[in-house]
Amino acid sequence: MSILERHRKLTAIWSSEPGFKGWFSTVNHTDLGRMFLVTAFFFFLVGGVLAMLIRAQLATPDSAFMGPEIYNQVFTMHGTIMMFLFAIPMFEGLAIYLLPKLLGTRDLAFPRLTAYGYWCYVFGGTMLLVSMLLGIAPDGGWFMYPPLTGAIYSPGINTDFWLIGITFVEISAIAAAVEITVSVLKFRAPGMSLDKMPIFAWYALVTALMILTGFPPLILGSVLLELERAFGLPFFQAELGGDSLLWQHLFWLFGHPEVYIIFLPAAGVISTVLPVMCRTTLLGYGWIVAAIVALAFLSFGLWVHHMFTTGIPHMGLAFFSAASTLVAVPTGVQIFAWIGTMWKGRPELRLPMLHILGFFVTFVIGGLTGVMVAVVPFDWQAHDTAFVTAHLHYVLFGGFVFPILAGLYYWLPHFTGRERFFRLGEVAFAFIFTGFHVTFLAMHWVGLLGQRRRISTYQAEDGWTAINLISSIGGFVLAIGIAIVVIEVALHAVTANRGKRNPWKAATLEWAMMTPAPAYNFASLPHIFSREPLNDDPDLAVRLARGEGYLGDSGPGGRRETLTVNASSGQPDYHVIYPGNTRLPVFMAAVTGLFFLSLLLKFYWITPLAVSGVAFLAWRWAWTLGRREDLPDQPVGHGVALPNSIAVDHGSGWWGSLFLLTANTTFFGSLLFGFAFLWTVAPGWPPPALFEPSLFEMAAGLAAAAASTAAIRRAIRANRNGQTVMPSLVLAIAGALALGAVLGSLILRTPGPSAHAYGATLLVLGGYGLFHAALGALMAGFLAMRVRRGFTSPVRRAEFPIVRLWIDYLAVVGMFVLLAAHVPGFLT
């Protein structure tokens, strides 16, 4: 088969539907990555316009440009859009587009999950934009502190848009994080062990794991606050046993790791682009990987430094101050590794390099001011001033936007297959760099003079007028620079000046393909021997196009296929057949959106219908996978034959469930933390009435949990031995339902959920357990149906370990919920 024939055949297999319809049915990572990037950049422009409105308001004292109500909405939406609708989705889009190309594979682990996450992001973001257009946008600040955002002080629908819309958007983040984690660990080119992965893959992996453990506390906080607003459950009302500080703990358990979730992908861009600009290799690869991991761990121990002025005990202040200072060490390791890379190389001052240098200057200043606010006495003075706002922007804009612009210009030839014709980027950089520093250096200054953040106006006699005017002028200069970038990218997209395949002479795999990238990425998959495969073999791209790698011939029946590797060694593991294009993800995202809209608009009669719709579509989603016949080991080339993913114990679905349960466990752990926090810190505890304990009920629940886990294990053994599995699966279903009945009884007997935070928290714990009991029974029932329809056998066994994971998790959740409810009553 010739190169052209192979290209045409693979294109027919992997391509999306042509035209506008293809947007709604594509599951190809290249298409979805571009869609993520374009949508995120659109939200960035919207957030930038809101920033200009803020600077116009603050340019002069006693400004009548906006009233306080509109200003609060603009201020809140600016922070919300930049944090939730731009920064994280921009990373997701870049990772979705790049990772399979960098890793030498054809797609991500779960293509339909990528599409579902994208449409949840679009629908959730649109919900927030519509609220702004209707004048009912969130107005409590992007941090949503109660009691300001409680039903008493914010009675309208504004806050509900934030709580429900952001939770909807965060489904996208969790989906992308699961996708990225499994893809990096399993979907790599043969031979690519962990120590041979491109450095960007390490950054993406650690960031995805941080999303899985950092976002659930905010999701929990949003759920609790919405329950308080909608049903009067007093989680944050001090007079009823709640505590508004619980929100701050949950929010900043997410909020501070969020800073590093934003920074790390940008640092991954720097570590990828900088060596190419310096014509050398990255210095200190191992040290950088260690610094990434250390930074991830440390970031989860810093959240309290946002709460130094809330009455934290002195020992706690000292601990978190020291930890906040210590975080500069792994950051410094990366900075010095980058400086060393420039020192040993031959830097070329091309446009991506300009933005990298802009990053160095800006981020180092932001880091230094971060060390300043880590010192408790200084933080007491600077807290809630414009100084903190300026520090935040130096870290986030300097640490994210400058690297993203460097990556934009670096990978732009890859996106389009064209070279730059108009040279506007250098002018844009000058405007952006100058405008940014004028804006936020002035903001540091006025913050030290005492200007509070979040204010809508000030008096002329305060002495801040000239500084704010300078800051506003700088902001508009920055906006002009961003506008020039947009103009240049638009011109680049329409000019037909074809470029070279690898204009930067880079050594990573994304340049070993045609540009723009074909739908299948690689005609055959490479075998990797080092971190610079194109330096090892300059003819690698041609040899892969000839089909000399793995999977060089398309499978029978025009299947989309790839292979996975052992997570650590990179040795080939199993063969994967992907599903094709489908509109199922967009339909499922729409029904998910209907669920959130029913909560927002208080149409609660629609909520169970939406839940049923999601369950039906999820059933349909999973039902289309698998086969009714055993597949022989698939020859993949180079004398290697691999089993199919349905014939292994730990297939892609198992890995995806494992990391989804990681996020789920963090959510549940945060809920237990909230219960313990209120019990030990909040006023009004112990509660007026404890839950009436029942030894029989607790024993019955624990026995049901144990029976379900034992039954699913027996089913796995029976399937492996070719015996009937239905009795064991029926027992697993019965055990899950029995545990659900016990948890339902717990919910019904919970004392006064609206009268005290104790009852409200027990109600949520019981509801969480009941939901997972229903889910466990549903999954075991699904597996039983699959067995009856012939989708399983002693060979086709991959679905059994997945259900076992969820049943085991149900058992653990049920045990903790029952102990939390019954043990205090027994002890008293």
Side-chain angles (χ1 to χ4, degrees), residues 11 30 42 62 70 138 170 240 256 264 321 332 341 377 382 384 398 403 514 558 582 615 666 669-670 697 704 707 769:
T11 299
T30 299
F42 166 75
D62 299 312
I70 299 299
E170 285 171 346
L240 296 177
H256 200 82
L264 284 176
S321 178
T341 300
D384 266 348
M514 295 183 292
T582 176
T666 307
S670 300
E697 189 174 280

mmCIF file of all heavy atoms in Angstrom, residues 11 30 42 62 70 138 170 240 256 264 321 332 341 377 382 384 398 403 514 558 582 615 666 669-670 697 704 707 769:
data_model
loop_
_atom_site.group_PDB
_atom_site.id
_atom_site.type_symbol
_atom_site.label_atom_id
_atom_site.label_comp_id
_atom_site.label_asym_id
_atom_site.label_seq_id
_atom_site.Cartn_x
_atom_site.Cartn_y
_atom_site.Cartn_z
ATOM 1 N N THR A 11 -7.878 8.297 6.625
ATOM 2 C CA THR A 11 -8.698 9.505 6.706
ATOM 3 C C THR A 11 -10.179 9.152 6.653
ATOM 4 O O THR A 11 -10.995 9.721 7.404
ATOM 5 C CB THR A 11 -8.342 10.473 5.558
ATOM 6 O OG1 THR A 11 -6.966 10.853 5.681
ATOM 7 C CG2 THR A 11 -9.212 11.712 5.604
ATOM 8 N N THR A 30 -8.386 15.919 17.830
ATOM 9 C CA THR A 30 -7.881 17.109 17.144
ATOM 10 C C THR A 30 -8.992 18.136 16.972
ATOM 11 O O THR A 30 -8.817 19.327 17.262
ATOM 12 C CB THR A 30 -7.290 16.729 15.780
ATOM 13 O OG1 THR A 30 -6.191 15.823 15.984
ATOM 14 C CG2 THR A 30 -6.789 17.952 15.040
ATOM 15 N N PHE A 42 -12.519 32.676 23.227
ATOM 16 C CA PHE A 42 -13.691 33.559 23.180
ATOM 17 C C PHE A 42 -14.042 34.040 24.582
ATOM 18 O O PHE A 42 -14.300 35.234 24.808
ATOM 19 C CB PHE A 42 -14.874 32.816 22.560
ATOM 20 C CG PHE A 42 -16.196 33.497 22.773
ATOM 21 C CD1 PHE A 42 -16.539 34.634 22.045
ATOM 22 C CD2 PHE A 42 -17.096 33.015 23.722
ATOM 23 C CE1 PHE A 42 -17.757 35.270 22.257
ATOM 24 C CE2 PHE A 42 -18.306 33.639 23.932
ATOM 25 C CZ PHE A 42 -18.640 34.777 23.199
ATOM 26 N N ASP A 62 -15.545 58.777 42.188
ATOM 27 C CA ASP A 62 -16.990 59.031 42.139
ATOM 28 C C ASP A 62 -17.552 58.794 40.741
ATOM 29 O O ASP A 62 -18.406 59.546 40.258
ATOM 30 C CB ASP A 62 -17.306 60.464 42.594
ATOM 31 C CG ASP A 62 -16.869 60.720 44.026
ATOM 32 O OD1 ASP A 62 -17.174 59.880 44.898
ATOM 33 O OD2 ASP A 62 -16.205 61.744 44.269
ATOM 34 N N ILE A 70 -24.478 46.763 39.001
ATOM 35 C CA ILE A 70 -23.881 46.296 37.756
ATOM 36 C C ILE A 70 -22.392 46.027 37.943
ATOM 37 O O ILE A 70 -21.849 45.035 37.435
ATOM 38 C CB ILE A 70 -24.107 47.318 36.627
ATOM 39 C CG1 ILE A 70 -25.605 47.504 36.371
ATOM 40 C CG2 ILE A 70 -23.402 46.886 35.345
ATOM 41 C CD1 ILE A 70 -26.315 46.237 35.947
ATOM 42 N N PRO A 138 -24.249 36.511 38.563
ATOM 43 C CA PRO A 138 -23.731 36.437 39.934
ATOM 44 C C PRO A 138 -23.086 37.759 40.339
ATOM 45 O O PRO A 138 -22.409 38.402 39.539
ATOM 46 C CB PRO A 138 -22.692 35.311 39.854
ATOM 47 C CG PRO A 138 -23.135 34.478 38.690
ATOM 48 C CD PRO A 138 -23.751 35.425 37.719
ATOM 49 N N GLU A 170 -17.770 22.339 35.873
ATOM 50 C CA GLU A 170 -16.736 21.506 36.485
ATOM 51 C C GLU A 170 -16.886 20.032 36.122
ATOM 52 O O GLU A 170 -15.936 19.261 36.276
ATOM 53 C CB GLU A 170 -16.739 21.705 38.001
ATOM 54 C CG GLU A 170 -16.118 23.042 38.377
ATOM 55 C CD GLU A 170 -16.274 23.387 39.837
ATOM 56 O OE1 GLU A 170 -17.087 22.726 40.525
ATOM 57 O OE2 GLU A 170 -15.600 24.311 40.294
ATOM 58 N N LEU A 240 -27.634 28.509 63.667
ATOM 59 C CA LEU A 240 -28.243 27.176 63.575
ATOM 60 C C LEU A 240 -27.180 26.080 63.468
ATOM 61 O O LEU A 240 -27.421 25.018 62.897
ATOM 62 C CB LEU A 240 -29.190 27.107 62.371
ATOM 63 C CG LEU A 240 -30.411 28.033 62.428
ATOM 64 C CD1 LEU A 240 -31.220 27.931 61.143
ATOM 65 C CD2 LEU A 240 -31.288 27.704 63.633
ATOM 66 N N HIS A 256 -6.496 27.438 46.244
ATOM 67 C CA HIS A 256 -5.046 27.583 46.120
ATOM 68 C C HIS A 256 -4.429 26.554 45.187
ATOM 69 O O HIS A 256 -3.600 26.914 44.349
ATOM 70 C CB HIS A 256 -4.337 27.583 47.461
ATOM 71 C CG HIS A 256 -2.983 28.197 47.338
ATOM 72 N ND1 HIS A 256 -2.775 29.552 47.355
ATOM 73 C CD2 HIS A 256 -1.774 27.652 47.083
ATOM 74 C CE1 HIS A 256 -1.491 29.822 47.138
ATOM 75 N NE2 HIS A 256 -0.862 28.678 46.979
ATOM 76 N N LEU A 264 0.950 25.181 36.227
ATOM 77 C CA LEU A 264 1.738 24.036 35.782
ATOM 78 C C LEU A 264 1.624 23.760 34.282
ATOM 79 O O LEU A 264 2.641 23.499 33.630
ATOM 80 C CB LEU A 264 1.358 22.790 36.592
ATOM 81 C CG LEU A 264 1.921 22.729 38.021
ATOM 82 C CD1 LEU A 264 1.400 21.503 38.751
ATOM 83 C CD2 LEU A 264 3.445 22.736 38.001
ATOM 84 N N SER A 321 2.266 29.665 57.186
ATOM 85 C CA SER A 321 3.189 30.675 56.678
ATOM 86 C C SER A 321 4.476 30.020 56.191
ATOM 87 O O SER A 321 4.994 30.345 55.115
ATOM 88 C CB SER A 321 3.492 31.705 57.773
ATOM 89 O OG SER A 321 4.425 32.658 57.318
ATOM 90 N N GLY A 332 11.377 27.563 42.254
ATOM 91 C CA GLY A 332 12.731 28.029 41.947
ATOM 92 C C GLY A 332 13.544 26.988 41.196
ATOM 93 O O GLY A 332 14.355 27.327 40.327
ATOM 94 N N THR A 341 19.027 25.996 30.967
ATOM 95 C CA THR A 341 18.792 25.586 29.577
ATOM 96 C C THR A 341 19.205 26.700 28.621
ATOM 97 O O THR A 341 19.850 26.446 27.589
ATOM 98 C CB THR A 341 17.300 25.245 29.382
ATOM 99 O OG1 THR A 341 16.947 24.170 30.264
ATOM 100 C CG2 THR A 341 17.022 24.834 27.944
ATOM 101 N N PRO A 377 2.508 39.035 59.362
ATOM 102 C CA PRO A 377 2.308 40.460 59.671
ATOM 103 C C PRO A 377 2.069 41.313 58.424
ATOM 104 O O PRO A 377 1.228 42.219 58.452
ATOM 105 C CB PRO A 377 3.619 40.854 60.374
ATOM 106 C CG PRO A 377 4.145 39.581 60.920
ATOM 107 C CD PRO A 377 3.779 38.535 59.916
ATOM 108 N N ALA A 382 -1.813 43.887 54.131
ATOM 109 C CA ALA A 382 -2.161 43.923 52.705
ATOM 110 C C ALA A 382 -3.436 43.159 52.374
ATOM 111 O O ALA A 382 -3.938 43.265 51.258
ATOM 112 C CB ALA A 382 -1.009 43.350 51.882
ATOM 113 N N ASP A 384 -6.957 41.927 51.523
ATOM 114 C CA ASP A 384 -8.144 42.587 50.953
ATOM 115 C C ASP A 384 -7.835 43.959 50.373
ATOM 116 O O ASP A 384 -8.726 44.806 50.268
ATOM 117 C CB ASP A 384 -9.268 42.695 51.986
ATOM 118 C CG ASP A 384 -10.232 41.531 51.902
ATOM 119 O OD1 ASP A 384 -10.164 40.774 50.918
ATOM 120 O OD2 ASP A 384 -11.066 41.370 52.811
ATOM 121 N N GLY A 398 0.996 36.512 34.261
ATOM 122 C CA GLY A 398 2.398 36.249 33.950
ATOM 123 C C GLY A 398 2.707 34.770 33.865
ATOM 124 O O GLY A 398 3.499 34.327 33.030
ATOM 125 N N PRO A 403 3.004 32.362 28.766
ATOM 126 C CA PRO A 403 3.363 31.056 28.190
ATOM 127 C C PRO A 403 2.355 30.563 27.153
ATOM 128 O O PRO A 403 2.754 29.944 26.152
ATOM 129 C CB PRO A 403 3.394 30.137 29.415
ATOM 130 C CG PRO A 403 3.672 31.036 30.557
ATOM 131 C CD PRO A 403 2.969 32.317 30.238
ATOM 132 N N MET A 514 2.004 15.218 9.085
ATOM 133 C CA MET A 514 1.613 16.328 8.230
ATOM 134 C C MET A 514 1.027 17.452 9.083
ATOM 135 O O MET A 514 0.494 17.213 10.167
ATOM 136 C CB MET A 514 0.560 15.868 7.210
ATOM 137 C CG MET A 514 1.052 14.846 6.217
ATOM 138 S SD MET A 514 -0.243 14.438 5.011
ATOM 139 C CE MET A 514 -1.419 13.599 6.068
ATOM 140 N N GLY A 558 -12.540 -1.480 8.781
ATOM 141 C CA GLY A 558 -12.348 -0.046 8.941
ATOM 142 C C GLY A 558 -12.445 0.417 10.383
ATOM 143 O O GLY A 558 -13.084 1.425 10.691
ATOM 144 N N THR A 582 -20.481 10.059 16.898
ATOM 145 C CA THR A 582 -21.810 9.912 17.475
ATOM 146 C C THR A 582 -22.272 11.241 18.057
ATOM 147 O O THR A 582 -21.451 12.061 18.489
ATOM 148 C CB THR A 582 -21.812 8.837 18.576
ATOM 149 O OG1 THR A 582 -23.104 8.787 19.180
ATOM 150 C CG2 THR A 582 -20.790 9.142 19.654
ATOM 151 N N ALA A 615 -29.451 8.725 33.124
ATOM 152 C CA ALA A 615 -29.210 7.300 33.387
ATOM 153 C C ALA A 615 -29.450 6.471 32.126
ATOM 154 O O ALA A 615 -28.671 5.562 31.809
ATOM 155 C CB ALA A 615 -30.109 6.822 34.522
ATOM 156 N N THR A 666 -12.411 12.195 47.074
ATOM 157 C CA THR A 666 -12.073 13.522 47.583
ATOM 158 C C THR A 666 -13.334 14.287 47.973
ATOM 159 O O THR A 666 -13.362 14.990 48.989
ATOM 160 C CB THR A 666 -11.283 14.307 46.532
ATOM 161 O OG1 THR A 666 -10.165 13.526 46.097
ATOM 162 C CG2 THR A 666 -10.785 15.617 47.097
ATOM 163 N N GLY A 669 -14.508 12.724 51.186
ATOM 164 C CA GLY A 669 -13.615 13.129 52.267
ATOM 165 C C GLY A 669 -13.851 14.566 52.683
ATOM 166 O O GLY A 669 -13.784 14.899 53.879
ATOM 167 N N SER A 670 -14.121 15.441 51.717
ATOM 168 C CA SER A 670 -14.414 16.843 52.038
ATOM 169 C C SER A 670 -15.708 16.953 52.833
ATOM 170 O O SER A 670 -15.831 17.795 53.738
ATOM 171 C CB SER A 670 -14.518 17.660 50.749
ATOM 172 O OG SER A 670 -13.312 17.606 50.022
ATOM 173 N N GLU A 697 -29.940 -1.661 62.846
ATOM 174 C CA GLU A 697 -29.860 -0.963 61.561
ATOM 175 C C GLU A 697 -28.419 -0.855 61.086
ATOM 176 O O GLU A 697 -28.122 -1.080 59.901
ATOM 177 C CB GLU A 697 -30.481 0.424 61.703
ATOM 178 C CG GLU A 697 -30.664 1.168 60.399
ATOM 179 C CD GLU A 697 -31.408 2.470 60.611
ATOM 180 O OE1 GLU A 697 -32.648 2.438 60.719
ATOM 181 O OE2 GLU A 697 -30.734 3.530 60.669
ATOM 182 N N ALA A 704 -25.047 -5.822 54.652
ATOM 183 C CA ALA A 704 -25.421 -5.664 53.242
ATOM 184 C C ALA A 704 -24.217 -5.219 52.419
ATOM 185 O O ALA A 704 -24.006 -5.695 51.294
ATOM 186 C CB ALA A 704 -26.558 -4.657 53.117
ATOM 187 N N ALA A 707 -21.943 -8.190 52.020
ATOM 188 C CA ALA A 707 -22.515 -9.191 51.114
ATOM 189 C C ALA A 707 -22.349 -8.774 49.658
ATOM 190 O O ALA A 707 -22.037 -9.604 48.790
ATOM 191 C CB ALA A 707 -23.997 -9.389 51.440
ATOM 192 N N GLY A 769 -24.748 8.465 50.264
ATOM 193 C CA GLY A 769 -24.689 7.006 50.312
ATOM 194 C C GLY A 769 -25.824 6.365 49.545
ATOM 195 O O GLY A 769 -25.624 5.372 48.830
#
